[in-house]
Amino acid sequence: INLIQKYNYYISCVLFLGGEWNHNMVDYLKIIQSYNLKTCLYTGNDAIVDELVPYLNYIKIGHYDNELGGLNNKNTNQRFIDLDNNRDITYKFWR
């Protein structure tokens, strides 16, 4: 939390690389949003628990499949969702 206070002027979003299984995740997300920062979760799962959705602005879902590539590949199975607008914005990562 001290880092958020110190660097709040320089950051706009806090990204979690996994951790959705942590029972304190909602508390962490609430604290981050109390500083008017966006929140994002990268998960290899195909879905997340509904209780997290109100506290996330963005989510990357889907396991990595080497044959389909990552977010920057048009064939990817992964999706990057803007939850504020309920839009799939994966296309913004394509080359």
Side-chain angles (χ1 to χ4, degrees):
I1 300 307
N2 290 335
L3 286 175
I4 292 174
Q5 291 170 331
K6 183 176 180 180
Y7 295 107
N8 193 356
Y9 178 77
Y10 300 103
I11 59 176
S12 60
C13 184
V14 175
L15 167 64
F16 288 87
L17 300 172
E20 62 274 15
W21 44 265
N22 186 319
H23 65 277
N24 293 322
M25 180 63 83
V26 169
D27 295 330
Y28 300 147
L29 294 169
K30 285 180 181 179
I31 291 168
I32 292 163
Q33 286 188 334
S34 75
Y35 288 95
N36 294 316
L37 295 171
K38 302 280 185 176
T39 56
C40 181
L41 173 66
Y42 268 42
T43 180
N45 296 329
D46 293 323
I48 61 165
V49 294
D50 289 338
E51 75 176 292
L52 293 179
V53 173
Y55 307 103
L56 289 167
N57 301 102
Y58 304 99
I59 185 167
K60 191 282 298 174
I61 58 173
H63 67 280
Y64 179 77
D65 184 325
N66 194 44
E67 291 183 20
L68 300 175
L71 287 175
N72 63 341
N73 188 320
K74 291 182 181 181
N75 297 317
T76 188
N77 63 300
Q78 298 178 323
R79 294 289 171 249
F80 194 88
I81 309 295
D82 173 349
L83 293 170
D84 292 338
N85 297 301
N86 197 28
R87 289 184 39 214
D88 182 339
I89 59 172
T90 309
Y91 70 91
K92 292 186 175 194
F93 293 88
W94 296 343
R95 297 180 193 153

CSV table of all heavy atoms in Angstrom, one decimal, residues 55-74:
chain,number,residue,atom,x,y,z
A,55,TYR,N,-14.7,-5.7,-9.2
A,55,TYR,CA,-13.5,-5.0,-8.7
A,55,TYR,C,-12.4,-5.0,-9.7
A,55,TYR,O,-11.3,-4.6,-9.4
A,55,TYR,CB,-13.1,-5.6,-7.4
A,55,TYR,CG,-14.2,-5.6,-6.4
A,55,TYR,CD1,-14.8,-6.8,-6.1
A,55,TYR,CD2,-14.6,-4.4,-5.8
A,55,TYR,CE1,-15.9,-6.8,-5.2
A,55,TYR,CE2,-15.6,-4.4,-4.8
A,55,TYR,CZ,-16.3,-5.6,-4.6
A,55,TYR,OH,-17.3,-5.6,-3.7
A,56,LEU,N,-12.7,-5.5,-10.9
A,56,LEU,CA,-11.7,-5.5,-12.0
A,56,LEU,C,-12.2,-4.6,-13.2
A,56,LEU,O,-13.4,-4.5,-13.5
A,56,LEU,CB,-11.6,-6.9,-12.5
A,56,LEU,CG,-10.9,-7.9,-11.6
A,56,LEU,CD1,-11.1,-9.4,-12.1
A,56,LEU,CD2,-9.4,-7.6,-11.5
A,57,ASN,N,-11.2,-4.0,-13.8
A,57,ASN,CA,-11.5,-3.2,-15.0
A,57,ASN,C,-11.2,-4.0,-16.3
A,57,ASN,O,-11.8,-3.8,-17.3
A,57,ASN,CB,-10.7,-1.9,-15.0
A,57,ASN,CG,-11.0,-1.0,-13.8
A,57,ASN,OD1,-10.3,-1.0,-12.8
A,57,ASN,ND2,-12.2,-0.4,-13.8
A,58,TYR,N,-10.2,-4.8,-16.2
A,58,TYR,CA,-9.7,-5.6,-17.3
A,58,TYR,C,-9.4,-7.0,-16.8
A,58,TYR,O,-9.0,-7.2,-15.7
A,58,TYR,CB,-8.4,-5.0,-17.9
A,58,TYR,CG,-8.6,-3.6,-18.3
A,58,TYR,CD1,-8.1,-2.6,-17.5
A,58,TYR,CD2,-9.2,-3.3,-19.6
A,58,TYR,CE1,-8.3,-1.2,-17.9
A,58,TYR,CE2,-9.3,-1.9,-19.9
A,58,TYR,CZ,-8.9,-0.9,-19.1
A,58,TYR,OH,-9.0,0.4,-19.5
A,59,ILE,N,-9.5,-8.0,-17.8
A,59,ILE,CA,-9.1,-9.3,-17.5
A,59,ILE,C,-8.6,-10.0,-18.7
A,59,ILE,O,-9.2,-9.8,-19.8
A,59,ILE,CB,-10.3,-10.2,-16.9
A,59,ILE,CG1,-9.8,-11.5,-16.5
A,59,ILE,CG2,-11.5,-10.2,-17.8
A,59,ILE,CD1,-10.8,-12.3,-15.6
A,60,LYS,N,-7.6,-10.8,-18.6
A,60,LYS,CA,-7.1,-11.6,-19.7
A,60,LYS,C,-7.4,-13.0,-19.2
A,60,LYS,O,-7.0,-13.5,-18.2
A,60,LYS,CB,-5.6,-11.5,-19.9
A,60,LYS,CG,-5.0,-12.1,-21.1
A,60,LYS,CD,-4.8,-13.6,-21.1
A,60,LYS,CE,-3.8,-14.1,-20.0
A,60,LYS,NZ,-3.8,-15.5,-19.9
A,61,ILE,N,-8.2,-13.7,-20.0
A,61,ILE,CA,-8.6,-15.1,-19.7
A,61,ILE,C,-8.1,-16.0,-20.8
A,61,ILE,O,-8.0,-15.7,-21.9
A,61,ILE,CB,-10.1,-15.2,-19.4
A,61,ILE,CG1,-10.9,-14.8,-20.7
A,61,ILE,CG2,-10.5,-14.5,-18.2
A,61,ILE,CD1,-12.4,-15.0,-20.6
A,62,GLY,N,-8.0,-17.3,-20.4
A,62,GLY,CA,-7.6,-18.3,-21.3
A,62,GLY,C,-6.2,-18.8,-21.1
A,62,GLY,O,-5.3,-18.1,-20.9
A,63,HIS,N,-6.1,-20.1,-21.2
A,63,HIS,CA,-4.7,-20.8,-21.1
A,63,HIS,C,-3.9,-20.5,-22.3
A,63,HIS,O,-4.5,-20.2,-23.4
A,63,HIS,CB,-4.9,-22.3,-20.8
A,63,HIS,CG,-5.4,-23.0,-22.0
A,63,HIS,ND1,-6.7,-23.0,-22.3
A,63,HIS,CD2,-4.8,-23.7,-23.0
A,63,HIS,CE1,-6.9,-23.7,-23.4
A,63,HIS,NE2,-5.7,-24.1,-23.9
A,64,TYR,N,-2.6,-20.5,-22.2
A,64,TYR,CA,-1.7,-20.3,-23.3
A,64,TYR,C,-1.6,-21.6,-24.1
A,64,TYR,O,-1.3,-22.7,-23.6
A,64,TYR,CB,-0.4,-19.9,-22.9
A,64,TYR,CG,0.6,-19.7,-24.1
A,64,TYR,CD1,0.4,-18.5,-24.9
A,64,TYR,CD2,1.5,-20.6,-24.4
A,64,TYR,CE1,1.3,-18.4,-26.0
A,64,TYR,CE2,2.3,-20.5,-25.5
A,64,TYR,CZ,2.2,-19.3,-26.3
A,64,TYR,OH,3.0,-19.2,-27.4
A,65,ASP,N,-1.9,-21.6,-25.4
A,65,ASP,CA,-1.8,-22.7,-26.3
A,65,ASP,C,-0.7,-22.3,-27.3
A,65,ASP,O,-0.9,-21.4,-28.1
A,65,ASP,CB,-3.1,-23.0,-27.0
A,65,ASP,CG,-3.1,-24.2,-27.9
A,65,ASP,OD1,-2.0,-24.5,-28.5
A,65,ASP,OD2,-4.1,-24.9,-27.9
A,66,ASN,N,0.4,-23.0,-27.3
A,66,ASN,CA,1.5,-22.6,-28.2
A,66,ASN,C,1.1,-22.6,-29.7
A,66,ASN,O,1.6,-21.7,-30.4
A,66,ASN,CB,2.7,-23.6,-28.0
A,66,ASN,CG,4.0,-23.1,-28.6
A,66,ASN,OD1,4.3,-21.9,-28.5
A,66,ASN,ND2,4.7,-24.0,-29.3
A,67,GLU,N,0.2,-23.5,-30.1
A,67,GLU,CA,-0.2,-23.5,-31.5
A,67,GLU,C,-1.1,-22.3,-31.9
A,67,GLU,O,-1.1,-21.9,-33.0
A,67,GLU,CB,-1.0,-24.8,-31.8
A,67,GLU,CG,-0.1,-26.1,-31.7
A,67,GLU,CD,-0.8,-27.3,-32.1
A,67,GLU,OE1,-1.9,-27.2,-32.7
A,67,GLU,OE2,-0.4,-28.4,-31.8
A,68,LEU,N,-1.8,-21.8,-30.9
A,68,LEU,CA,-2.7,-20.6,-31.1
A,68,LEU,C,-2.0,-19.3,-30.8
A,68,LEU,O,-2.5,-18.2,-31.3
A,68,LEU,CB,-3.9,-20.8,-30.3
A,68,LEU,CG,-4.8,-22.0,-30.6
A,68,LEU,CD1,-5.9,-22.1,-29.7
A,68,LEU,CD2,-5.2,-22.0,-32.1
A,69,GLY,N,-0.9,-19.3,-30.1
A,69,GLY,CA,-0.2,-18.1,-29.7
A,69,GLY,C,-0.9,-17.3,-28.6
A,69,GLY,O,-1.9,-17.7,-28.0
A,70,GLY,N,-0.2,-16.2,-28.3
A,70,GLY,CA,-0.7,-15.3,-27.2
A,70,GLY,C,-1.6,-14.2,-27.7
A,70,GLY,O,-2.1,-14.3,-28.9
A,71,LEU,N,-1.8,-13.2,-26.9
A,71,LEU,CA,-2.8,-12.1,-27.3
A,71,LEU,C,-2.4,-11.4,-28.6
A,71,LEU,O,-3.3,-10.9,-29.2
A,71,LEU,CB,-2.8,-11.1,-26.1
A,71,LEU,CG,-3.5,-11.5,-24.9
A,71,LEU,CD1,-3.4,-10.4,-23.8
A,71,LEU,CD2,-5.0,-11.8,-25.1
A,72,ASN,N,-1.2,-11.4,-29.0
A,72,ASN,CA,-0.8,-10.7,-30.2
A,72,ASN,C,-1.0,-11.5,-31.5
A,72,ASN,O,-0.7,-11.1,-32.5
A,72,ASN,CB,0.7,-10.3,-30.1
A,72,ASN,CG,1.6,-11.5,-30.0
A,72,ASN,OD1,1.2,-12.6,-29.7
A,72,ASN,ND2,2.9,-11.3,-30.3
A,73,ASN,N,-1.6,-12.7,-31.3
A,73,ASN,CA,-1.9,-13.6,-32.5
A,73,ASN,C,-3.4,-13.6,-32.7
A,73,ASN,O,-4.2,-13.9,-31.8
A,73,ASN,CB,-1.4,-15.0,-32.2
A,73,ASN,CG,-1.4,-15.9,-33.4
A,73,ASN,OD1,-2.4,-15.9,-34.2
A,73,ASN,ND2,-0.4,-16.7,-33.6
A,74,LYS,N,-3.8,-13.4,-33.9
A,74,LYS,CA,-5.3,-13.3,-34.3
A,74,LYS,C,-5.9,-14.7,-34.0
A,74,LYS,O,-7.1,-14.8,-33.9
A,74,LYS,CB,-5.5,-12.9,-35.7
A,74,LYS,CG,-5.2,-11.5,-36.0
A,74,LYS,CD,-5.4,-11.1,-37.4
A,74,LYS,CE,-5.1,-9.6,-37.6
A,74,LYS,NZ,-5.4,-9.2,-39.0
